[in-house]
Amino acid sequence: MFVDKVKIYVKAGDGGNGIVAYRREKYVPDGGPAGGDGGKGADVVFEVDEGLRTLMDFRYQRHFKADRGENGRPKNQHGKSRDAMTVRVPPGTTLTDEETGAVVADLTEHGQRATVVRGGRGGRGNSRFASPSNPAPEIAENGEPGQEKELVLELKLLADAGLVGFPSVGKSTFLSVVSAAKPKIADYHFTTLAPNLGVVETDDKRSFVLADLPGLIEGAHSGVGLGHQFLRHIERTRVIVHVIDMSGIEGRDPYEDYQTINEELKQYNMRLTERPQIIVANKMDLPDAEENLEIFKEMAGEDVEIYPVSAVTKQGLAGVLRSIADKVESTPEFPLYEEEEIDQRVVYKYTKKEDPFKIIKDDDGGFTIEGHEIETAFKMTDFNRHDSVQRFSRKMRRMGIDQALRDLGAEDGDTVRILNYEFEFIE
Ligand SMILES: Nc1nc2c(ncn2[C@@H]2O[C@H](COP(=O)(O)OP(=O)(O)OP(=O)(O)O)[C@@H](O)[C@H]2O)c(=O)[nH]1
Ligand SMILES: [Mg+2]
């Protein structure tokens, strides 16, 4: 089965917790703090594996959770950090952040890697909080939560040229006679349900990769027929090979076909119209084809390159293949995304772009506090330790949350909620 679009969830490992511990040594009556830091949680990294051809494996595994860092240990020993979790994808995979729509990475070359979510840092152990005024603090931080994301993975094949056209015009037949590929061929519409790739060699010993795509019909961009979903596979191709049934054997007008398909390409993505296009006038072995070709040439004008062929009798193939190879060589690659569009930095920017916090008045008179920074601080607090709790309340004060609550009318004893926890507001 060919799978070219999936949605998955990735979560980097949380940092390990720091711990509270003290030195207990012979002849040292009251040892100092000695709680180690937690280790860093694992990142999630995507890597291209050229042995993969589709995104099929992701139909069975959609959740990827990386390892949590190890907790700190006594005697100031730090917990172990975790190695990144590697997720393998086929060449041509684009990763998009489902929430923001930002392109996270476009992975095309074997071995290319992208870190998609970062593991949390380890929480600090109590020895890090020692100060002259508090030489034996009862504070340890929990690990920082790992980042998480919903990602859309799309496979956009890496072909040099792509065959487009109405159903049954002979796209698969063409691929089958110019390469070793064995696509299904039949006289009904939508025989091809997923793209096929073939390696073509020209008579002057040049080669390129040609993709055979499912047929398009009018309205494909709005989902008619198989829709335009497969057009994502020609986004990377340098050359569009537009196949037309010049015999008109199905009762359609070849020139209208030509215009309809071009309109669909435009509707899908304006930039497809920038690609050089070669027209394969197919089925020239059938009656009426010659006459239709003359009319077509007149309508299309001089500038349009037309190659009359018959995929069935193999007439005219060498010339069109050479011309495709020429165009593939002379056309620069079309970058799918501008450099600045691929925003690897989203990973780091995440916390900063959010509001510091938001307070919602609940129906029962309580208050809910939301915001990445305060929620992270909350998760990193060990509420079993008095000093840790004190530190958290200082943070709330410093961020201005206490004052904001007061401004909204909070009084002693009111319920305040963060995430799924409740505590009391104390003046
Ligand atoms: N006479 C003649 N018939 C052809 C030629 N090329 C293809 N055909 C026939 O046209 C029909 C459709 O061919 P396909 O190659 O499956 O067409 P397609 O464009 O891949 O169609 P879809 O996959 O449905 O979009 C088959 O019956 C082929 O034998 C040709 O050059 N001459
Ligand atoms: Mg086909």
Side-chain angles (χ1 to χ4, degrees), residues 166-173 184-192 212 214-215 282-283 285-286 310-312:
F166 266 84
S168 293
V169 295
K171 300 179 295 299
S172 302
T173 310
K184 189 169 163 191
I185 294 165
D187 58 4
Y188 55 85
H189 287 190
F190 303 117
T191 308
T192 303
D212 163 33
N282 192 29
K283 307 200 185 179
D285 56 293
L286 293 178
S310 165
V312 161

Side-chain angles (χ1 to χ4, degrees), residues 354-386:
E354 278 189 42
D355 288 341
F357 63 84
K358 192 166 98 188
I359 300 178
I360 299 152
K361 259 184 151 166
D362 299 328
D363 291 341
D364 63 357
F367 300 87
T368 297
I369 305 170
E370 286 177 359
H372 187 73
E373 185 178 348
I374 190 66
E375 285 172 11
T376 303
F378 181 84
K379 286 180 194 163
M380 292 178 75
T381 299
D382 177 357
F383 284 93
N384 297 316
R385 308 260 176 206
H386 177 72

Side-chain angles (χ1 to χ4, degrees), residues 46 57 72 77 180 219 249 309 313-314 326 329 345 367 392 416:
F46 279 67
D57 295 347
Q77 295 183 81
I249 195 164
V309 307
T313 67
K314 305 188 184 176
D326 288 346
E329 281 167 12
R345 289 157 305 160
F367 300 87
F392 181 74
V416 174

